[in-house]
Amino acid sequence: MITGAIVVVAKCPIPGKSKTRLTPLLGINGSALVAEAMLSDVLITIQHEIVTKAISNTKTPTEISATQEQQHHVNDGSNILKILLYAPGDQDGYHRMKEVLGSLDLKETTTTTEITDNGGGDICIDDAENNSLNNGWILLPMLSSNDLLSSDLGEKLMDALKRVRSIIELSNTKQYRKQAAMKQAQQTPSSILFLGMDSPELPLEEIQHGLQLSSSSSSSTNTALLCPSEDGGYGMLCVPSTAPDEIFHNIQWSHSLTALSQIKAITDLNMDVKLGRLMHDIDEPQDVIRLAHRLCARRNNNTKETLQRPITNNTTILLQSSSKTNEKGEIEQQQQQRTGSCKFTWENLIKLGLIKQNQDTGLWVCCDSTMNDSKE
């Protein structure tokens, strides 16, 4: 039974068409590289930190009581649909996003989709090849999706909400053919969680909380969870599958009041809104520089501390930044465990020369002063 869906809203990373406001800092190709890196971090983090870990940490039904059964379904990552809502929603957009998934070794859930001239289109899950829906990502074309910042973004998200709701209902119908099971599937609420591609530092606990919100209690089935961003927008919105389509009406997109107008739209429909933690959108050159400083600080803090990790033979490896005997690979592996959700962004910022390692101290530094407009 599907208990939730994570919908990543993304524009295809194409040079000259994605993250163009970063061009003065990173160049045309560099901006597209960072766009793809941030999208890759979002997809990989969801796959490995949310879905896979949820599956591995879930108890079997015989290990939980009847009162815990509903929560068990929520925590089971195999019950979470993974959807990549992409723009432009045409064949070129589809093939570009398929390339991104392939580069990350992520599977695509086999679907039958007729993409219209304006994007969008009906979608059908081919369950003959997908016994478990967590096997892959559903590529969902966005309606009329030439620009995610256009004034009709609300219409696109309303259309996406309808189609994701239909996918959940269709999936549950195919999985539960007996009347009793169908009744249970219809009564169990689901969460639909929208995420942007511009915030690679995902708030994992907020995502998990959002997916559980609609199923935790009857009072929560009318509650949305919103994570605001520094610029007045928001990076995450989770709503119950029963939320009215009108929640995306009259939103001031790309505005300092975007989050507030979204909250108003939801509360005007007699729904409650919980606020999650602040997220960092990467839209402007200064956003990239601040991100680079945060990632450097995180890595440097890891190397300054004495780190202890148990390993399989019951011994412990001690990693200290002052030690010259430890292999570089061990330190890098430890650092990656602490900052894994930004792996691709980190690597590409190094590739572009925005982050470098001081050879004397071993510490990472942001080199924004070395960037110039001639980067390609």
Side-chain angles (χ1 to χ4, degrees):
M1 176 174 55
I2 299 302
T3 58
I6 298 177
V7 183
V8 177
V9 184
K11 191 172 183 178
C12 291
I14 301 173
K17 294 185 178 180
S18 58
K19 289 298 170 190
T20 54
R21 282 182 281 175
L22 303 183
T23 302
L25 177 69
L26 303 174
I28 294 176
N29 291 335
S31 298
L33 278 176
V34 170
E36 182 170 352
M38 293 193 297
L39 174 59
S40 298
D41 280 324
V42 170
L43 297 176
I44 285 293
T45 299
I46 291 171
Q47 181 71 46
H48 296 305
E49 299 295 330
I50 301 297
V51 176
T52 303
K53 284 191 176 180
I55 295 173
S56 62
N57 293 334
T58 301
K59 297 179 180 180
T60 62
T62 57
E63 295 177 307
I64 58 177
S65 65
T67 57
Q68 295 173 312
E69 183 175 1
Q70 190 176 39
Q71 191 65 37
H72 163 75
H73 287 301
V74 177
N75 290 333
D76 184 357
S78 64
N79 296 325
I80 302 172
L81 285 177
K82 305 183 298 295
I83 299 174
L84 179 53
L85 179 69
Y86 62 91
D90 53 21
Q91 290 293 344
D92 290 339
Y94 168 75
H95 291 297
R96 183 67 185 95
M97 286 310 196
K98 191 170 183 178
E99 287 178 359
V100 172
L101 291 181
S103 69
L104 302 172
D105 292 326
L106 297 178
K107 298 179 180 178
E108 176 193 0
T109 294
T110 306
T111 60
T112 301
T113 308
E114 182 178 353
I115 301 176
T116 65
D117 292 337
N118 293 326
D122 294 331
I123 188 167
C124 177
I125 296 174
D126 183 6
D127 61 348
E129 297 186 17
N130 294 276
N131 295 323
S132 180
L133 292 175
N134 72 292
N135 281 342
W137 286 77
I138 297 173
L139 290 177
L140 188 65
M142 184 178 284
L143 179 68
S144 303
S145 50
N146 293 322
D147 186 359
L148 286 181
L149 300 179
S150 60
S151 59
D152 63 339
L153 178 57
E155 295 180 8
K156 300 171 187 176
L157 293 178
M158 281 191 289
D159 175 74
L161 178 60
K162 293 177 183 177
R163 286 190 288 157
V164 172
R165 186 188 297 122
S166 297
I167 293 173
I168 293 175
E169 293 173 354
L170 175 64
S171 302
N172 285 336
T173 299
K174 287 187 174 184
Q175 290 183 64
Y176 291 86
R177 303 193 182 277
K178 294 182 180 180
Q179 184 175 0
M182 275 295 299
K183 183 177 180 180
Q184 179 187 6
Q186 292 170 355
Q187 290 178 345
T188 302
S190 302
S191 296
I192 299 178
L193 189 145
F194 292 91
L195 275 174
M197 62 174 283
D198 301 335
S199 303
E201 303 164 286
L202 291 183
L204 301 182
E205 70 284 355
E206 301 291 1
I207 295 174
Q208 294 166 341
H209 178 53
L211 292 172
Q212 296 173 2
L213 194 60
S214 293
S215 301
S216 59
S217 66
S218 58
S219 62
S220 297
T221 58
N222 199 41
T223 301
L225 175 65
L226 182 145
C227 287
S229 56
E230 294 173 305
D231 59 3
Y234 62 89
M236 187 192 94
L237 176 64
C238 186
V239 298
S241 56
T242 53
D245 303 331
E246 291 76 16
I247 61 172
F248 294 116
H249 268 172
N250 300 320
I251 308 300
Q252 299 186 53
W253 300 109
S254 301
H255 194 278
S256 60
L257 297 177
T258 296
L260 288 177
S261 62
Q262 181 65 81
I263 293 172
K264 183 180 185 303
I266 295 173
T267 55
D268 282 350
L269 295 169
N270 297 317
M271 294 179 60
D272 297 324
V273 179
K274 289 186 176 182
L275 292 182
R277 83 180 200 201
L278 191 69
M279 295 180 65
H280 303 286
D281 268 357
I282 311 301
D283 294 318
E284 305 289 345
Q286 286 301 316
D287 298 331
V288 178
I289 293 173
R290 284 192 289 266
L291 171 63
H293 280 293
R294 287 195 301 273
L295 295 181
C296 286
R298 194 182 307 169
R299 297 278 173 138
N300 292 337
N301 286 338
N302 288 348
T303 58
K304 287 178 181 178
E305 297 172 354
T306 299
L307 303 177
Q308 295 185 345
R309 288 285 177 178
I311 57 178
T312 54
N313 61 359
N314 295 323
T315 63
T316 300
I317 297 177
L318 299 181
L319 301 178
Q320 301 183 32
S321 59
S322 59
S323 174
K324 301 299 182 180
T325 58
N326 290 324
E327 295 181 1
K328 183 178 179 181
E330 291 179 347
I331 296 177
E332 289 181 345
Q333 182 180 8
Q334 182 65 39
Q335 292 170 341
Q336 182 179 344
Q337 292 174 349
R338 299 285 292 271
T339 59
S341 61
C342 293
K343 174 181 180 293
F344 295 96
T345 304
W346 172 262
E347 291 175 351
N348 277 275
L349 291 180
I350 293 176
K351 179 180 179 181
L352 292 168
L354 188 57
I355 292 177
K356 293 183 179 179
Q357 190 173 27
N358 186 300
Q359 298 302 315
D360 295 328
T361 65
L363 298 179
W364 296 93
V365 293
C366 177
C367 305
D368 54 282
S369 60
T370 66
M371 305 298 289
N372 56 67
D373 297 349
S374 62
K375 279 195 170 289
E376 296 182 356

